[in-house]
Amino acid sequence: MKPKITLKDIAKELDVSISTVSKALKNSKEISKDTRDRIKAFAKFYNYRPNNIALSLKNRRTKNIGVIIPDIVHHFFTTVFRGIEMYANQMGYNVIVCISDESFDKEVINMEMLANGSIDGFILSLSAETQRKNDFTHLKELLDQGIPIVLFDRVTQDVACDKVILNDLEISRESVTHFIKKGSKKIALITTENYFNVSESRKEGYLAALKDNNIPFDENLILTLPHDLDNTKLITEFFQKNKIEAVLCVNEIFAVQCMSVIQQLGFKIPDEISIIGFTDGILSRYSSPKLSTVAQHGEKMGELAAKMLIDRMETTKVVEEPFRTEVINATLIKRGSTIN
């Protein structure tokens, strides 16, 4: 008897990506005919069968929700998970969490594993690699098979489903405006790669605030950092080369790294350089000085995402409600790293 194989197994044996295997088995014209035929022949020989997602969901309910988060380093994702679990438990659901570790393949594998009759729906934030590849085939396939999905924070307009996002543009605009009102004009932005939708929205808010106040945009004052490396050297060189009076960082880790570098270079915070970061986590509250920050209200976001998913899973309406995008309003918390 041949062993049961998965998309991952086929991809490994044929030295192609999981996405290529999935598309080939769906007869996608994106994949060449030769590759499609080779993958289909291999799958047929080993009796590959897609997981019986739709069948299992029609016949029974597991009362389990699958949650996929990109990492557990950032405090924000842990607070979202806390909100999801709290609401889900109140409604009689269990939560199974997996970490994609910013990997497209791990995201696909985790979803394939959980979708095989283990869960009733998904809540997830897209991995860095998924956003970079701009490949959402695995999400669309699950939706086509009747599994509801709610995306939060890192989302895409290419997938039709419910979403929960932050008012990233508006809160960034408010943060930069705060710097300007306190006298700063040389305002820097420290951000991540532009394929992150949240980083792009925060950059748009930064640029809008400069325009609102007739401050010329200086591209030298934007530092784009890799999301997965030690950036101390890049940050140090950035502050050495540029005259900077204030800096907005798109996450808490970047902000705390900047505070450390700035102080090592001999600058005083906030008298010479002010800093605001995103995520009101432990690092923000215990840094010295305490970090002014954007509270993203992760628990509220998680609770709302869970409610939207459960409402959709439990609906008895013949015609489903249109998909919704809910926006959480962030809060600027002013502490010791800014002149208030």
Side-chain angles (χ1 to χ4, degrees):
M1 180 173 152
K2 298 186 181 88
K4 182 178 179 181
I5 62 169
T6 65
L7 291 178
K8 182 182 178 184
D9 297 326
I10 299 172
K12 183 178 179 181
E13 289 295 326
L14 300 181
D15 195 26
V16 294
S17 71
I18 292 173
S19 177
T20 297
V21 174
S22 179
K23 289 177 180 178
L25 293 175
K26 291 287 185 182
N27 209 31
S28 170
K29 296 297 190 293
E30 292 180 49
I31 310 302
S32 70
K33 186 177 185 303
D34 286 346
T35 303
R36 273 183 280 150
D37 290 345
R38 187 161 57 99
I39 290 171
K40 286 179 181 178
F42 187 92
K44 183 177 181 181
F45 180 78
Y46 282 97
N47 296 320
Y48 170 76
R49 294 288 182 275
N51 47 45
N52 297 319
I53 302 166
L55 183 61
S56 66
L57 287 177
K58 285 177 183 176
N59 293 339
R60 63 186 179 86
R61 297 284 295 278
T62 67
K63 300 293 281 187
N64 293 331
I65 293 171
V67 177
I68 314 288
I69 58 177
D71 65 54
I72 53 174
V73 174
H74 292 280
H75 178 77
F76 168 68
F77 290 118
T78 61
T79 61
V80 174
F81 175 68
R82 190 181 303 129
I84 293 171
E85 187 172 50
M86 184 168 56
Y87 184 83
N89 289 168
Q90 288 173 0
M91 299 299 291
Y93 284 79
N94 298 309
V95 178
I96 303 172
V97 64
C98 292
I99 315 298
S100 68
D101 201 26
E102 302 290 14
S103 162
F104 172 81
D105 283 351
K106 284 190 72 173
E107 184 175 289
V108 172
I109 291 164
N110 286 335
M111 295 188 79
E112 181 185 62
M113 173 188 70
L114 292 179
N116 198 8
S118 299
I119 54 91
D120 298 335
F122 280 105
I123 299 172
L124 79 150
S125 187
L126 298 170
S127 74
E129 198 174 13
T130 301
Q131 291 206 297
R132 181 178 62 79
K133 285 175 173 283
N134 200 37
D135 186 345
F136 312 108
T137 307
H138 55 302
L139 303 179
K140 294 175 182 177
E141 287 179 352
L142 292 177
L143 288 164
D144 288 345
Q145 294 173 49
I147 295 188
I149 294 174
V150 175
L151 292 175
F152 73 89
D153 190 50
R154 298 187 196 171
V155 305
T156 175
Q157 297 306 312
D158 293 340
V159 176
C161 66
D162 294 314
K163 304 175 179 87
V164 188
I165 60 174
L166 195 72
N167 63 332
D168 285 299
L169 189 155
E170 292 80 7
I171 196 63
S172 295
R173 193 178 203 161
E174 179 184 336
S175 300
V176 175
T177 300
H178 176 68
F179 287 144
I180 295 168
K181 286 180 177 178
K182 297 303 176 180
S184 297
K185 291 186 177 179
K186 297 288 186 180
I187 303 168
L189 174 69
I190 297 193
T191 185
T192 52
E193 297 96 333
N194 62 9
Y195 50 77
F196 287 101
N197 67 291
V198 292
S199 296
E200 277 300 281
S201 294
R202 291 166 194 176
K203 180 180 177 180
E204 289 176 22
Y206 163 84
L207 295 172
L210 296 181
K211 186 177 180 181
D212 292 343
N213 292 276
N214 299 312
I215 296 176
F217 165 58
D218 183 353
E219 63 182 13
N220 293 319
L221 295 184
I222 293 186
L223 175 63
T224 301
L225 296 174
H227 69 276
D228 55 352
L229 299 175
D230 179 3
N231 299 303
T232 303
K233 187 172 183 288
L234 292 172
I235 294 171
T236 302
E237 291 173 352
F238 180 71
F239 282 98
Q240 286 173 330
K241 290 178 181 177
N242 298 286
K243 169 63 178 173
I244 295 170
E245 298 169 340
V247 56
L248 175 66
C249 298
V250 299
N251 62 50
E252 183 181 50
I253 293 175
F254 285 179
V256 173
Q257 285 178 318
C258 285
M259 289 180 70
S260 175
V261 167
I262 288 167
Q263 290 169 326
Q264 286 175 12
L265 291 174
F267 295 104
K268 294 179 181 178
I269 302 172
D271 298 336
E272 294 176 287
I273 301 179
S274 295
I275 303 178
I276 294 174
F278 271 72
T279 302
D280 183 28
I282 295 172
L283 295 177
S284 300
R285 293 192 288 272
Y286 290 99
S287 61
S288 181
K290 293 181 179 179
L291 180 66
S292 294
T293 188
V294 172
Q296 295 169 269
H297 308 302
E299 284 195 28
K300 184 177 179 182
M301 182 176 283
E303 184 177 342
L304 181 55
K307 183 179 188 305
M308 292 172 76
L309 181 67
I310 292 171
D311 285 351
R312 192 163 290 279
M313 291 190 303
E314 295 188 345
T315 185
T316 56
K317 295 180 180 178
V318 176
V319 179
E320 288 193 359
E321 295 286 337
F323 294 121
R324 300 176 2 241
T325 296
E326 296 289 344
V327 181
I328 301 290
N329 291 319
T331 306
L332 177 59
I333 299 176
K334 301 162 189 173
R335 296 195 181 105
S337 70
T338 51
I339 298 171
N340 300 317

